[in-house]
Amino acid sequence: MNNLELKKIANEVRKGIIASVHSAKAGHPGGSLSAADLFTYLYFEELNIDPQNPKMEDRDRFVLSKGHTAPGLYSAMAHRGFFPVEDLITLRKLGSYLQGHPCMLHVPGVDMSSGSLGQGVSAAVGMALAAKMDQKDYRVYTLLGDGEIQEGQVWEAAMFAGHHKLDNLVVIVDNNGLQIDGAVEDVCSPYPIDKKFEAFNFHVINIDGHNFDEIRAAFKEAKETKGMPTAIISHSIKGKGVSFMEGNADWHGKAPNDEQYEVAMADLVKIGEALDKEEA
Amino acid sequence: MAEKKMVATREGYGEALLELGAENPNVVVLDADLAAATKTAVFKKAYPERFFDCGIAEANMIGIAAGLAASGKVPFASSFAMFAAGRAYEQVRNSVGYPHLNVKIGATHAGITVGEDGASHQCNEDIALMRTIPGMVVMCPADTIEAREATKAAAAYDGPVYLRFGRAVCPVINDKPDYHFEIGKGTILREGTDLTIVATGICVGSSLEAAEKLAEEGISAEVINICTIKPLDEELIIQSAKKTGKVITAEEHSVIGGLGSAVCDALCKSYPVPVLKIGVQDVFGESGSAAALVEKFKLDGKGIYEQIKDYLK
Ligand SMILES: Cc1ncc(C[n+]2csc(CCOP(=O)(O)OP(=O)(O)O)c2C)c(N)n1
Ligand SMILES: [Mg+2]
């Protein structure tokens, strides 16, 4: 898939995020939007998966360690064909399989339940370890928040992954700079993130998380890296694509009201039109 | 019934912290990236030099609280119940409980009324976890007024305390001039002769509603509010059981290990009577609005009334 195609899908994924969170009147748009390009690349380009056969034996695994950004995951998975896009608006409603945080028992294609920050990465390490034990060549990917990496468990997982040279593991940190209480560097700084992963014996790649050339190159480099796990530090903008949400911690875990929904959708429609023009 | 004011118990927690900050320069507040939600942001604004955001690192936060307490401070450490009691359980047990340090844990967003976030965030096990720790005081206020008073009482008490608060609004029931709070004391909110409902947290309001409905059918229910689950006001509960011979417990928590279990523990050693435990019946929660979930899990007035009616059949 070329970059333009990916950009167009990412824009649809973003619309799905806004529509579902608006419908739920709750949820986490900020970190879903910052990771929308990553979700798109993973589900449309990188992961060896089959929406028709979500439990395919040797599929690549993806663990959303920052489980609160389920709207981004669900939207990418729906657009990829795991379940109907129309179901996105049932997010967080009583009886919906699209729970506030992903549950592997309910959603086809979700490999691990998450929501409590810091835990998904350990499960991903376990999956990568199992692949090594079984001499399988599937790969394991996990996405973390930059606030999430304040959890000590993340570094326990990193130490184990480095120690066991899990080169089938890719840890991605969505470095959007914000958590709930403000900027990560003001709350309790996790910086320098890249140096930390290096110290834990990871191969580290810094990228612009909204640039598909850089995303593509990073995943290729990760695949070529042998003898150590890879960490991709994705520098991103929280709320990316929706003007009033960009770079604003207030939009971490809040739904747009009807009026804000219209503005957000108009922003995304405009982006879509510009992409159409680019194509013509 | 007159329309009751609706306020979440976490509001009372924030208000009390603000008062305590003014009274005692040793009061320090810690949070783990949830200051607006837990209401510690109110304290942060007034006393920024005595507020520390630990980031998303709850286990470490509890350890830091232990160190502060060992150095003469009065730390209040806050997060959602899932993470304060759940994630940091062993730190609470070994760094706070075992050395009996003066740490106060202000845990908000307990139970299913967390709502849309779903099961991963709905802690229905914290009372069970906390009450097994020797020396830990466990309180679960019924309204914002009790939340405020319980927080102040926790500060005045020397030793570890777990305070459980909710996210969703619930009726204010203690807005009475003679209201008085004491750790370890339950209160009879409504007298009755046919059965006793022992309730905690948001289920106190619902139990009063249920009692009203039962009264319309000639069933006289006594309603006891138990804010302090540990140490439990055993005498009050046993006295009531002697009068009514039937006990129903109601809590927004698992029926395993919570108020229901504590009440059974108390009754079975000196005055065993049949007990119906109303609560979360050994299942995980799910996403939905707080109101929809309270209805589904039958913890609203109607749900408690129906469960009692079924039981009496
Ligand atoms: C263990 C744990 N503590 C607290 C929370 C509540 N919480 C949900 S999201 C969040 C902030 C996450 O910030 P970050 O990791 O930077 O995510 P992003 O910016 O990508 O949304 C917090 C504290 C949680 N889900 N799990
Ligand atoms: Mg972030």
Side-chain angles (χ1 to χ4, degrees):
Chain A
M1 229 175 242
N2 65 37
N3 288 1
L4 187 59
E5 288 170 304
L6 287 166
K7 280 189 207 169
K8 286 176 128 183
I9 295 167
N11 200 50
E12 294 308 307
V13 168
R14 287 192 164 92
K15 286 180 190 166
I17 292 167
I18 295 302
S20 58
V21 173
H22 170 254
S23 161
K25 298 191 173 70
H28 299 81
S32 295
L33 292 167
S34 65
D37 298 309
L38 287 171
F39 284 128
T40 301
Y41 190 83
L42 282 164
Y43 277 90
F44 284 83
E45 208 54 1
E46 181 67 13
L47 297 175
N48 174 30
I49 42 167
D50 178 4
Q52 303 313 316
N53 184 12
K55 292 233 182 293
M56 183 173 73
E57 174 103 5
D58 290 334
R59 69 188 182 282
D60 287 341
R61 308 305 205 263
F62 175 69
V63 178
L64 182 62
S65 199
K66 55 166 196 158
H68 61 282
T69 59
L73 174 70
Y74 294 159
S75 185
M77 292 182 75
H79 283 93
R80 182 71 170 82
F82 280 91
F83 44 84
V85 172
E86 297 77 59
D87 287 2
L88 290 176
I89 54 166
T90 68
L91 175 75
R92 291 180 162 240
K93 294 202 193 302
L94 194 67
S96 172
Y97 63 102
L98 299 177
Q99 292 286 296
H101 294 79
C103 180
M104 64 189 290
L105 298 178
H106 300 306
V107 188
V110 166
D111 289 318
M112 182 65 204
S113 303
S114 59
S116 181
L117 294 169
Q119 300 194 18
V121 57
S122 294
V125 169
M127 291 173 183
L129 182 67
K132 290 283 181 196
M133 290 172 72
D134 295 342
Q135 283 154 6
K136 301 267 193 184
D137 55 11
Y138 66 79
R139 296 174 60 74
V140 183
Y141 299 78
T142 181
L143 179 64
L144 285 77
D146 51 3
E148 179 181 10
I149 62 172
Q150 291 159 342
E151 286 287 358
Q153 180 172 355
V154 171
W155 303 102
E156 297 173 25
M159 190 183 304
F160 186 99
H163 178 82
H164 288 278
K165 305 185 174 28
L166 298 178
D167 53 14
N168 54 350
L169 175 75
V170 183
V171 171
I172 311 154
V173 177
D174 185 14
N175 189 192
N176 58 29
L178 297 173
Q179 56 189 122
I180 296 180
D181 286 347
V184 292
E185 62 192 332
D186 295 335
V187 173
C188 193
S189 178
Y191 294 119
I193 300 172
D194 47 5
K195 297 254 163 27
K196 283 196 178 64
F197 277 99
E198 261 163 36
F200 281 87
N201 298 316
F202 274 64
H203 176 64
V204 181
I205 309 167
N206 282 286
I207 61 165
D208 170 351
H210 305 303
N211 179 321
F212 281 109
D213 280 333
E214 293 192 26
I215 296 173
R216 192 187 304 272
F219 282 113
K220 181 162 178 281
E221 190 176 320
K223 245 179 216 155
E224 289 162 1
T225 300
K226 298 294 169 206
M228 51 177 22
T230 294
I232 297 174
I233 318 302
S234 171
H235 300 263
S236 67
I237 295 166
K238 201 155 176 168
K240 173 75 176 174
V242 175
S243 51
F244 61 92
M245 292 187 182
E246 285 193 3
N248 185 347
D250 288 348
W251 288 99
H252 168 83
K254 189 170 74 172
N257 61 27
D258 293 346
E259 212 172 296
Q260 291 160 333
Y261 168 79
E262 296 298 338
V263 177
M265 277 305 190
D267 283 351
L268 295 171
V269 166
K270 220 195 294 168
I271 292 171
E273 285 167 359
L275 291 171
D276 286 342
K277 249 189 230 146
E278 216 176 292
E279 192 168 33
Chain B
M1 226 197 282
E3 275 299 301
K4 298 249 185 230
K5 239 171 87 184
M6 302 289 284
V7 187
T9 52
R10 59 188 164 129
E11 298 288 348
Y13 176 56
E15 285 168 24
L17 289 181
L18 200 58
E19 286 182 44
L20 290 167
E23 282 165 22
N24 184 351
N26 280 325
V27 168
V28 178
V29 174
L30 307 176
D31 205 298
D33 197 30
L34 290 166
T38 62
K39 299 296 163 193
T40 63
V42 180
F43 182 95
K44 175 187 177 175
K45 199 161 164 233
Y47 306 102
E49 71 293 345
R50 282 190 274 147
F51 174 87
F52 299 92
D53 200 321
C54 301
I56 311 167
E58 299 81 4
N60 182 52
M61 172 176 72
I62 295 297
I64 290 171
L68 287 166
S71 312
K73 305 291 180 199
V74 183
F76 280 77
S78 276
S79 181
F80 290 174
M82 189 70 253
F83 313 124
R87 181 59 144 268
Y89 171 73
E90 206 251 58
Q91 280 76 9
V92 174
R93 193 264 190 198
N94 272 329
S95 292
V96 174
Y98 182 37
H100 202 73
L101 285 167
N102 195 25
V103 171
K104 320 299 172 189
I105 300 162
T108 67
H109 294 61
I112 55 165
T113 50
V114 161
E116 293 83 354
D117 271 349
S120 62
H121 285 54
Q122 292 164 350
C123 192
N124 299 317
E125 306 87 14
D126 54 327
I127 295 175
L129 286 169
M130 292 296 122
R131 62 182 276 268
T132 56
I133 299 174
M136 179 69 76
V137 170
V138 180
M139 295 195 270
C140 177
D143 69 355
T144 185
I145 292 173
E146 193 163 76
R148 192 181 61 213
E149 296 309 312
T151 304
K152 291 198 273 185
Y157 168 87
D158 186 22
V161 178
Y162 181 78
L163 291 152
R164 181 186 217 239
F165 305 110
R167 169 188 184 230
V169 293
C170 61
V172 176
I173 53 183
N174 288 307
D175 47 350
K176 303 174 199 140
D178 60 341
Y179 176 73
H180 166 76
F181 183 85
E182 208 178 308
I183 292 177
K185 285 270 174 282
T187 40
I188 297 176
L189 292 179
R190 179 185 179 116
E191 297 204 18
T193 49
D194 296 332
L195 55 89
T196 303
I197 311 177
V198 183
T200 192
I202 61 158
C203 285
V204 175
S206 336
S207 295
L208 286 170
E209 257 181 65
E212 193 101 336
K213 282 189 209 282
L214 290 167
E216 285 165 18
E217 295 172 24
I219 301 167
S220 163
E222 180 143 299
V223 178
I224 297 180
N225 170 20
I226 290 293
C227 175
T228 315
I229 292 160
K230 188 185 176 184
L232 186 67
D233 193 341
E234 300 188 355
E235 208 182 292
L236 186 75
I237 294 166
I238 289 167
Q239 293 266 299
S240 182
K242 281 184 178 163
K243 181 167 69 170
T244 65
K246 246 187 229 87
V247 172
I248 288 109
T249 60
E251 62 195 308
E252 187 198 8
H253 183 276
S254 171
V255 290
I256 300 174
L259 172 74
S261 297
V263 167
C264 288
D265 290 350
L267 289 173
C268 71
K269 75 182 163 204
S270 53
Y271 194 79
V273 295
V275 176
L276 169 70
K277 293 199 276 184
I278 292 176
V280 178
Q281 305 291 335
D282 197 20
V283 290
F284 286 105
E286 61 183 274
S287 289
S289 69
L293 289 168
V294 164
E295 192 187 335
K296 172 163 182 175
F297 285 82
K298 289 181 157 291
L299 298 178
D300 56 353
K302 182 167 162 278
I304 290 177
Y305 159 80
E306 284 171 359
Q307 292 188 73
I308 293 175
K309 283 286 286 183
D310 270 355
Y311 179 66
L312 294 179
K313 260 183 210 158

